[in-house]
Amino acid sequence: MTATSPPGETETAVPDRVVASHTALLAELAAADLEVDGSTRRRSEYSYDASNYRIPPLAVVFPRDADDVAATARLCHRHCVPIIARGGGTSMAGNAIGRGIVIDLSRHMRRVGALDAQRRVVTAEAGVILTELAAQVQARTDGRLTFAPDPSSASRATLGGAIGNDACGNHSVRHGRTSDHVESLDLVTADGLRLTATRTGLAATDPADAHAALRAHELSSAMRDLAARNLAILRTDLETIPRQVSGYHLAHLLPENGFDVARALVGSEGGCAIVVSATVRLVPAPTSQLLLCVGYRSIADAARDVPAILPFAPSAIEGIDGKIVTTMAARRGPDTVAGLPAGDAWLFIDLDEHSAAAQSEPDVRSVIARLRTELGEQGRMVDATVVDDLATRKSLWRVREDGAGLSARPAPDAGITAAGNGPLHESWPGWEDAAVAPERLADYLVDFEALLDEFGLTGVMYGHFGAGCMHVRITFDLRSADGRAIMREFCTAAARLVVAHGGSLSGEHGDGRARSELLPIMYSPEMLRAFDEFKRIWDRDGLLNPTAIVAPAPITADLALADVPNRPWAGSGGDSLDGFIHAVQGCIGVGRCRSSTGGVMCPSYRATRDEKDSTRGRARVLQDMVRTAPDLESGWRSTDVAEALDLCLSCKACSSDCPTGVDMASYKSEFLHHHYRGRVRPASHYSLGWMPMWLPMATATAPVINRALRAEPLRRLAARLGGIDRRRAMPAFATRRQVRSHLDALPAPRTGARSDTILVVDTFTRAFRPHVATATARLLGATGEQLGCRADVCCGLTWISTGQLTRARKTLARTAELLDDGTDRPIVVPEPSCAAALHKDLPELVDSPAARRVAARVFSVAAFVPRLLDAGYEPPALPESVTLQTHCHEYATFGAGTGTSALTRLGVEVHSADGCCGVAGNFGFESGHYEVSRAVAEQALAPALRTHPDRPVVTDGFSCAMSVDHLDATDPLVNATGIHLAELLAPAPDTHGGTR
């Protein structure tokens, strides 16, 4: 192990003088007041991007501005240490990792500067997220303008990353590549000078900086000379198809292109200079978009219709295959793909007012009618659907946008075959970004599928069909030497194939580590020499993102799955891959957990903006644990992993929102289970984790406890002893009299009636909200069905969330035994987190037929309401609108729209506070979590309560209700109390205790 390696990692020995230089560099970076982190945990987080590769950096720097970037570059240059500029870390080609210093521009450099609506330009820092840039532009121009490039990763990819890769996006058929929108780039050179590249040249960013001005003159002269000596090949070999992204864009240096240095640097992958900000062009925002979904029998049939679609001037022509749709339906429910027409492959075609003008039609629907007729005459279309509903349109576009993640772990029935010894249902990048002319796409795909068959591989396909760019994830076996050899052989053959079709190895992801070695197949030796010279003009010492495009590493070097020890972390033995290893390797780095809008994942990252607190960051640290730990015990005792998991709220949103289905809450439980085995646990693991054991005693003495907790000294003492933040008020315990008055009248289960519904009164409802149990009973019995109730079982949730899995399994096994009554009667649980635990965690932790039978019967109240409505139930008068705080576990387990769909069906206008409430079970009460908990509440719930204090607030989750109560008590602008959905919908009790 070297001084610069994470624990357990074995690398080539680093000479002592190099170690000393690295140590000195880190000290100098810190002394320069730069935010630098060289911890093993941080290095693990930044050892990966969204590619197949893993390279631990020396450290990570988080610059606050361009001056910080320049200072970092000067110090790294002095010590001859490489620099890798990084944005959202979503690169699929390995462009954002490397040995040396990683500069994360996304943490602080996210500002959007001057906007000139008349000239249609805006200036923004390199770390701004693309969707945030577009949103700010639209807000500042009253919705008239936007930034066009919109790759599927736009909700977490940065402007600098889009420039580095020359990203395109779903609407590139109209708007082209990022390079088509760049006006100027503010740069930092390898040795820390500040330059600005424009459409006509290069100059010092500060005209008074004589050193920078001299460098700009030298670089300009060298680039002009390079272009003059290579006029012929720059004119004939570059920019031959819309998506020729591989290599450097040297054609922009030609005289007829005005010596466009800015656009020549786009796509250089941070290998020539570091982009710190950019001025980019804006485009009119569409005002009347409609989506036409067209189904086909095959992906090649879909591609063959593209030339017929292009004359209709669509803003998007995107394609997906059936494997992605099958996986989406399996992971998030069939409703997510219900809007698709019949077929086994689909095109998503966006048309708008520009399409109507291009076809001289009065409106978009007329254009669509003509296009459908045209496609019908072509004879390949199976079916087509016009999508004008905004929610359905958004849902279907998400299928396409999540293509990379969904295709990484396809559903078992998606029809893929494995290669070598790899797990059956996996696919990987490596050859995911080739592009040809759109008119040649179909023929290329036919030949490409034949090549896959020749190697015994399966490809999951999606992409920008209108621009001829095909994304595909392939069932490579990257864990075995034979599988890696097959990958190399296949990618080499695929490179020859795409070149034979006049195409490019990369269409928008860049070459990086995945394709740079293959560039000699695409380009002549003369062009490769020109690329090398261009790199050396800008970066003489080769310090900026080494191995990208020029001087490449082998495509099979530094693969993340190579040589990972297959140890029994999950207790499994044999030759098959350990289940825990396979689970944590499910994160492929697409980074949806780093988005700031849409879905719920990841609330802690949205609160801190720190990679450490993202689902991806945690997964990467876990991946390094199973890779580098000397043994199992050392791995489970990892302080790096413990630190990474500390702010995980165990909300389970990632299990639904993550395209690959990463379930960090389950991984955290498993880790804590082993981490504290035989050791003293944090106090909150006893006070909150063991709540089901002591709550009955609290009920018996509730009046005394409630009075005691209202006394400040006693409350503070209880909080300190229990590991609870003193700023959190403990909820009032229901008294024994209250519990009896609500629960004693509930009927016990009847064993003979198969039409009965079973109401399970969970621990939280019994101890804190027994009135919710009676409201739920009235609701469930309102249709005349016989109801049986029981309050003698527990879901084990508090033991699960604190990683006390031995106790959790015992509790759940008993629960399964008691509830498995030989019927298929639905089981309804008022507390959605308990319902989710019984539905999902029970069969995962207890491997028995009884557990699986019981889990399949469990519903939350919101998930069960549609059955009541189908049976004819009509609730009492309801409010016109409500604020709905969906519980995260219910969201993840029963569906994102569970509560919304039930209320909408009843005519209630639902304003959903999309996001975690911040309390999240024990998390928000635990010491050290209060600030993050409040910040999470501020993402959606708190603003909703302040903006509309008059709306009823539906909070089925006890944690959600506690969050509302806390905001009500601490925020003068909040005046709210949560109400359970059952209380809102249930008929009022009659004077005899029944319903009326």
Side-chain angles (χ1 to χ4, degrees), residues 545-878:
N545 203 4
T547 76
I549 302 179
V550 171
I555 63 173
T556 51
D558 303 305
L559 289 169
L561 295 184
D563 306 319
V564 177
N566 186 23
R567 292 179 285 208
W569 296 93
S572 57
D575 295 331
S576 61
L577 184 66
D578 176 76
F580 188 75
I581 294 176
H582 191 230
V584 300
Q585 288 176 344
C587 175
I588 59 168
V590 294
R592 181 169 279 279
C593 51
R594 284 173 52 101
S595 62
S596 59
T597 59
V600 175
M601 175 184 72
C602 175
S604 55
Y605 174 78
R606 293 180 179 183
T608 68
R609 296 280 194 171
D610 190 333
E611 178 77 12
K612 171 180 74 73
D613 302 318
S614 69
T615 306
R616 182 179 72 179
R618 296 179 179 116
R620 295 316 199 183
V621 178
L622 281 165
Q623 288 172 15
D624 263 16
M625 180 190 87
V626 300
R627 179 189 185 91
T628 68
D631 51 59
L632 295 179
E633 183 178 0
S634 299
W636 290 127
R637 295 295 172 92
S638 168
T639 55
D640 282 356
V641 177
E643 185 177 357
L645 292 173
D646 179 53
L647 294 183
C648 171
L649 285 81
S650 295
C651 69
K652 287 188 175 291
C654 52
S655 67
S656 173
D657 284 351
C658 174
T660 62
V662 168
D663 184 357
M664 192 54 62
S666 295
Y667 309 162
K668 180 177 181 178
S669 296
E670 187 73 26
F671 177 80
L672 293 177
H673 172 66
H674 294 278
H675 188 70
Y676 288 110
R677 176 174 286 174
R679 305 166 73 188
V680 176
R681 288 173 167 268
S684 62
H685 286 202
Y686 302 106
S687 63
L688 301 177
W690 283 70
M691 283 180 71
M693 298 293 292
W694 59 259
L695 277 177
M697 293 181 286
T699 299
T701 57
V704 175
I705 294 176
N706 290 337
R707 282 196 299 272
L709 291 179
R710 286 195 291 269
E712 187 64 18
L714 290 176
R715 188 183 72 81
R716 290 194 175 199
L717 176 63
R720 186 170 71 252
L721 293 175
I724 296 170
D725 193 289
R726 62 181 179 82
R727 289 165 288 188
R728 287 284 181 191
M730 285 293 291
F733 296 93
T735 65
R736 181 180 293 172
R737 177 179 298 177
Q738 290 171 326
V739 172
R740 285 177 174 173
S741 69
H742 285 288
L743 301 190
D744 284 359
L746 300 181
R750 303 190 310 149
T751 58
R754 295 185 61 82
S755 61
D756 282 348
T757 299
I758 304 299
L759 168 61
V760 168
V761 182
D762 56 86
T763 301
F764 294 103
T765 299
R766 178 186 176 92
F768 299 107
R769 300 193 295 179
H771 58 283
V772 170
T774 52
T776 305
R778 295 198 308 274
L779 176 63
L780 298 180
T783 61
E785 294 287 331
Q786 295 296 320
L787 180 68
C789 304
R790 63 187 311 157
D792 58 344
V793 295
C794 178
C795 70
L797 176 63
T798 58
W799 284 300
I800 295 171
S801 62
T802 54
Q804 302 180 71
L805 296 184
T806 300
R807 181 71 195 191
R809 289 188 176 98
K810 290 180 180 178
T811 300
L812 286 169
R814 176 181 179 274
T815 296
E817 181 181 353
L818 292 174
L819 292 178
D820 187 32
D821 55 10
T823 75
D824 59 358
R825 294 178 292 183
I827 299 168
V828 180
V829 186
E831 169 57 43
S833 61
C834 296
L838 291 175
H839 188 73
K840 183 177 186 296
D841 295 318
L842 169 59
E844 292 179 354
L845 292 173
V846 180
D847 184 14
S848 72
R852 289 186 284 275
R853 285 192 296 266
V854 169
R857 295 165 52 198
V858 174
F859 295 82
S860 67
V861 171
F864 193 73
V865 165
R867 289 195 175 199
L868 298 176
L869 301 182
D870 291 341
Y873 175 60
E874 296 182 5
L878 296 172

Side-chain angles (χ1 to χ4, degrees), residues 491-493 495-497 499 505 517-524 528:
C491 288
T492 302
R496 294 192 180 102
L497 175 64
V499 171
L505 310 189
E517 187 191 9
L518 302 175
L519 286 175
I521 296 174
M522 178 177 173
Y523 288 116
S524 67
L528 294 174

Side-chain angles (χ1 to χ4, degrees), residues 328-404:
M328 185 72 161
R331 189 162 295 146
R332 296 179 183 151
D335 289 349
T336 59
V337 296
L340 286 174
D344 297 309
W346 293 267
L347 289 181
F348 289 17
I349 308 168
D350 258 350
L351 299 114
D352 55 22
E353 65 273 17
H354 301 290
S355 310
Q359 289 290 312
S360 301
E361 292 286 354
D363 53 44
V364 182
R365 289 190 178 276
S366 300
V367 176
I368 288 180
R370 280 186 54 196
L371 178 55
R372 291 183 70 169
T373 300
E374 173 78 16
L375 295 179
E377 292 172 353
Q378 295 287 328
R380 286 177 286 270
M381 179 180 74
V382 174
D383 193 10
T385 300
V386 179
V387 182
D388 52 10
D389 174 69
L390 186 60
T392 304
R393 172 188 165 87
K394 183 178 180 180
S395 176
L396 289 178
W397 267 116
R398 185 168 181 183
V399 180
R400 165 60 189 91
E401 290 167 357
D402 282 353

